Amino acid sequence: MQKMGLTVRPASPVDVPSLVGLRLANAEAHVALEPDVYRVPRRDAVRRHFTAMLADESRPDTVLVAEAQDGRVVGMVEVLPQPEPPEHQILNPEPSAQVHTVVLPDVRGLGVGAALLRAAERWATDRGISYLSAGIYHRNVDAVRFYGRHGFTAAGTSLGRRLG
């Protein structure tokens, strides 16, 4: 497996079209896994989300992109800090964030995801975050394997039931 020359950097407004493409490609892959759970959002809604996110410098979250040597954005990671649990709950407070990594299919296995995850970890650590989680659908075995290779372990089980 050959590694790819990359620059990982904070996303900027010029990256919005690439971020939209990554989000929609990720959505399509998830719909293929489980069409009753996932959907492909409207392109304009995704564009508005990333445009607003990147315009608001006061937001506590970030999007980092992986840019190939040819200038193409080939992946992204969102780092979304989570609020501390309220005093009335039993969880110990710990600064935490969720990560969502997306890599274009044609560059998977070339170190893009690993580079993005390392950058996300640095970003989080620099902000006092001590715990990262990745909410992965159990049938997304490639993502489960990817995060497992990078030290993520099972941190509980989420159970659900449809009503009606």
Side-chain angles (χ1 to χ4, degrees):
M1 166 179 22
Q2 181 182 3
K3 297 295 180 193
M4 179 172 194
L6 291 173
T7 300
V8 177
R9 58 173 175 75
S12 71
V14 72
D15 296 313
V16 168
S18 296
L19 296 172
V20 171
L22 284 160
R23 170 67 47 85
L24 294 178
N26 191 45
E28 289 170 4
H30 279 76
V31 167
L33 284 173
E34 189 61 67
D36 292 335
V37 174
Y38 297 102
R39 66 185 172 134
V40 177
R42 289 188 349 259
R43 178 175 293 276
D44 63 317
V46 176
R47 180 186 44 73
R48 281 193 313 273
H49 164 73
F50 283 119
T51 299
M53 181 182 195
L54 296 174
D56 183 357
E57 293 182 15
S58 68
R59 289 179 64 123
D61 49 13
T62 194
V63 179
L64 305 172
V65 295
E67 185 177 354
Q69 290 175 332
D70 65 1
R72 181 171 69 128
V73 172
V74 295
M76 72 174 188
V77 62
E78 292 176 275
V79 187
L80 309 169
Q82 301 299 292
E84 287 192 5
E87 287 184 14
H88 64 84
Q89 288 188 350
I90 64 174
L91 290 172
N92 281 323
E94 179 177 18
S96 66
Q98 287 190 353
V99 292
H100 302 281
T101 309
V102 182
V103 175
L104 290 176
D106 66 316
V107 296
R108 289 191 184 142
L110 300 178
V112 176
L116 285 164
L117 199 50
R118 280 191 307 272
E121 290 170 353
R122 280 190 304 273
W123 184 91
T125 300
D126 289 348
R127 284 151 185 82
I129 294 169
S130 58
Y131 184 82
L132 292 179
S133 64
I136 306 300
Y137 187 62
H138 70 283
R139 291 187 184 154
N140 191 347
V141 294
D142 291 338
V144 170
R145 190 174 18 248
F146 167 77
Y147 283 104
R149 280 195 314 267
H150 295 280
F152 285 67
T153 60
T157 301
S158 176
L159 303 175
R161 174 179 170 214
R162 294 218 185 278
L163 301 178

